[in-house]
Amino acid sequence: MHRMMTGRFYIQTGINHIPGIQIATYIAQAKPGADLMNVSVNGTLVGPVNSWTFSNIIANHTISSSGRPTPGQVHAFFTLNTTWGAVPLTVEFTNQSLGNPSSFFWNFGDGRTSTDRDPIHTYTTPGIYSVTLKAMNDQTGGMATLNKAITVTSGEIPSPTPTPVPGEITASFEADRTVGSAPVQISYIDLSTGNPTSWLWDLGDGNVSVSQNLTHIYQVPGTYSVRLSVQNSLTSASIEKIGYITVK
């Protein structure tokens, strides 16, 4: 089945497919601060439905979803180019807040602040910092905040172990095996912390899933990278394991 997804900045999408059964369910869910506008199946608008089941996944299908910010509602969201490193650590913040916010206030956790939309900030002292973004719509009065953690060390370390910040989530997962001969069945277990409420798996072979834990069959030999994105009402996180699965 071929699929096409649009509006993914506002919509979280995925495909649920049980191996061996010729049925697949497309799932579209509006992200916080956004509305699901419409879903199109094979060129036909079917309305703002949250799921659509295909009974014949051997045939070619196209499906797309569209969304928009919820009018008057602000949702704070941002990404950053790194969450840990040695001093001096320069962090670039990319503001992706929804709801047409007109002003912003950043607190970098080290006593310094900014009102820029996409600030760049340098940490000069080791420590664990909670960064807070407040996004505001001055016309509607809407306001939302989001915080994420940054760990700054005095020198390079193999892997960071930041102290959790309230509301912060960390993406993590493991597989029951990482090497096998095609077709190989692999089970993934979500080990994320911080109480995520939604999951999006990219299994590296063109298949995705929104299940928390899943079992997947790789049919074709190759090396596959696996990515898990998680989120809750406050924040989001993701992890990608490059070349994680080897199918012989």
Side-chain angles (χ1 to χ4, degrees):
M1 179 181 70
H2 299 294
R3 60 186 182 277
M4 175 178 64
M5 303 176 188
T6 61
R8 295 190 67 179
F9 184 78
Y10 304 118
I11 306 299
Q12 177 172 289
T13 57
I15 297 287
N16 276 349
H17 173 224
I18 301 176
I21 299 178
Q22 300 303 316
I23 295 176
T25 300
Y26 171 86
I27 297 174
Q29 181 180 7
K31 295 181 179 180
D35 293 330
L36 176 64
M37 294 297 296
N38 221 322
V39 173
S40 173
V41 179
N42 296 327
T44 301
L45 294 177
V46 296
V49 296
N50 293 111
S51 65
W52 187 270
T53 299
F54 295 95
S55 59
N56 179 15
I57 64 172
I58 297 178
N60 291 332
H61 301 284
T62 60
I63 187 165
S64 64
S65 58
S66 61
R68 68 175 183 183
T70 301
Q73 182 176 342
V74 175
H75 176 64
F77 187 77
F78 66 91
T79 60
L80 50 166
N81 65 328
T82 184
T83 58
W84 71 280
V87 292
L89 179 66
T90 298
V91 182
E92 299 177 5
F93 299 89
T94 301
N95 194 332
Q96 297 178 338
S97 300
L98 303 178
N100 299 317
S102 52
S103 60
F104 308 94
F105 182 80
W106 297 83
N107 186 330
F108 299 114
D110 61 352
R112 285 174 285 182
T113 61
S114 174
T115 56
D116 292 343
R117 179 180 180 86
D118 301 299
I120 298 175
H121 182 66
T122 299
Y123 291 90
T124 58
T125 303
I128 299 174
Y129 300 95
S130 178
V131 179
T132 301
L133 166 63
K134 179 186 292 185
M136 297 159 284
N137 186 317
D138 298 328
Q139 184 175 4
T140 65
M143 185 271 291
T145 61
L146 175 67
N147 67 287
K148 294 188 177 184
I150 293 178
T151 300
V152 183
T153 69
S154 57
E156 294 294 338
I157 56 176
S159 59
T161 54
T163 300
V165 174
E168 184 76 9
I169 60 176
T170 301
S172 179
F173 69 89
E174 293 292 341
D176 63 343
R177 68 180 71 183
T178 58
V179 179
S181 299
V184 58
Q185 177 174 292
I186 296 179
S187 296
Y188 293 97
I189 182 170
D190 169 49
L191 299 175
S192 303
T193 60
N195 299 317
T197 56
S198 62
W199 300 261
L200 178 60
W201 297 83
D202 185 337
L203 300 170
D205 62 349
N207 285 281
V208 297
S209 175
V210 293
S211 299
Q212 180 179 7
N213 303 301
L214 71 148
T215 298
H216 180 65
I217 296 179
Y218 290 89
Q219 303 283 357
V220 180
T223 300
Y224 300 96
S225 299
V226 180
R227 181 180 181 87
L228 170 63
S229 299
V230 296
Q231 71 175 27
N232 58 24
S233 60
L234 296 175
T235 186
S236 62
S238 63
I239 182 174
E240 183 174 13
K241 297 188 178 183
I242 305 297
Y244 186 54
I245 302 297
T246 300
V247 181
K248 300 178 180 179

